[in-house]
Amino acid sequence: MKTLPAFSWILLLGGAASLGACAAEQPLPQCTVGRGEHAVRYTLVSGTGACAAKRAEKLGAQIFRTPGSGEPPSLVFKPGPLAANEGKDPAHPVTATGFFTREYPSDEEICEVPTLSEARQLVARAEGAPVDVRYQWSNIRVQGSSAIPGTQWTADLTYSEDDCTATYQAVGLFPALKCERTEVRNGQNVVVRDPAVCALPRPSLSIDPAFPTLCDETTNLCVLDGQPPSLKP
């Protein structure tokens, strides 16, 4: 299967804000996921050491569907740290792939992917042997309502670096944007952290204004506040 680089995938879905008020009347869309970069927030479940330090990161996502087949689509995840290593370890897969269990959402407006194949890369470091980095995703539950068509999701992640392993509960939000702005200080442009930026409209991709967000302090990524389905009152 030929995939595109995680950080060059284009937008498949428009914003859902205009659909929020009439979600009950809208027919459920086919199972899908926002095509491009997602911001993933991690909550540690178990593990210690270097593997237990994840807080948030970007992840490329895309689906593949055979038109007219009636078959569920496949889902592809490309974690940001592995995407940055693409082409340097061709012996291992940089993407994780699996299949949705159905073409359309369930009565609970959920699209499920039980498991993805392992994504793995040997990532070089300044000194010593490269780090063997592995992502194993499972229990992916993508929101499939008309108001949240593939733009919020949860999953379980088992993450490994060499001999250490940690497990996480992951919450994804599409698109992935930074809570940063540029201001002039002493004649120089300075990038500053600003949580309010997450809710601002942008000329290209914007986070749906109906989605509550937080500004992750470790990465300055706009992440979802709460568990999907999460909408402002």
Side-chain angles (χ1 to χ4, degrees), residues 41 109-110 141-144 148 151-155 169-173 212 224-231:
R41 169 172 56 85
E109 301 183 340
I110 297 294
R141 293 169 57 85
V142 182
Q143 295 297 309
I148 314 176
T151 49
Q152 295 183 14
W153 53 270
T154 61
Q169 208 265 329
V171 174
L173 171 68
L224 189 68
D225 183 7
Q227 294 291 313
S230 188
L231 293 170

Side-chain angles (χ1 to χ4, degrees), residues 144-194:
S145 70
S146 298
I148 314 176
T151 49
Q152 295 183 14
W153 53 270
T154 61
D156 297 326
L157 172 65
T158 298
Y159 175 76
S160 301
E161 291 184 9
D162 290 334
D163 294 332
C164 79
T165 299
T167 60
Y168 293 90
Q169 208 265 329
V171 174
L173 171 68
F174 177 80
L177 300 175
K178 287 287 190 105
C179 36
E180 298 175 342
R181 61 180 173 82
T182 302
E183 62 180 39
V184 178
R185 295 180 180 176
N186 299 322
Q188 294 185 335
N189 290 335
V190 179
V191 176
V192 297
R193 180 175 179 271
D194 184 357

Side-chain angles (χ1 to χ4, degrees), residues 60-138:
Q62 185 175 12
I63 66 159
F64 291 89
R65 172 177 279 113
T66 302
S69 68
E71 296 295 324
S74 61
L75 173 67
V76 178
F77 276 176
K78 184 184 288 188
L82 300 193
N85 197 64
E86 189 164 17
K88 299 177 182 178
D89 179 20
H92 297 107
V94 72
T95 58
T97 306
F99 285 88
F100 284 91
T101 58
R102 54 198 300 158
E103 185 182 9
Y104 287 88
S106 67
D107 292 341
E108 292 75 32
E109 301 183 340
I110 297 294
C111 295
E112 296 184 279
V113 180
T115 187
L116 299 182
S117 61
E118 182 184 70
R120 178 183 181 186
Q121 287 284 284
L122 297 179
V123 180
R125 50 188 170 187
E127 297 181 0
V131 181
D132 188 0
V133 179
R134 304 185 183 203
Y135 284 76
Q136 183 65 69
W137 299 91
S138 61

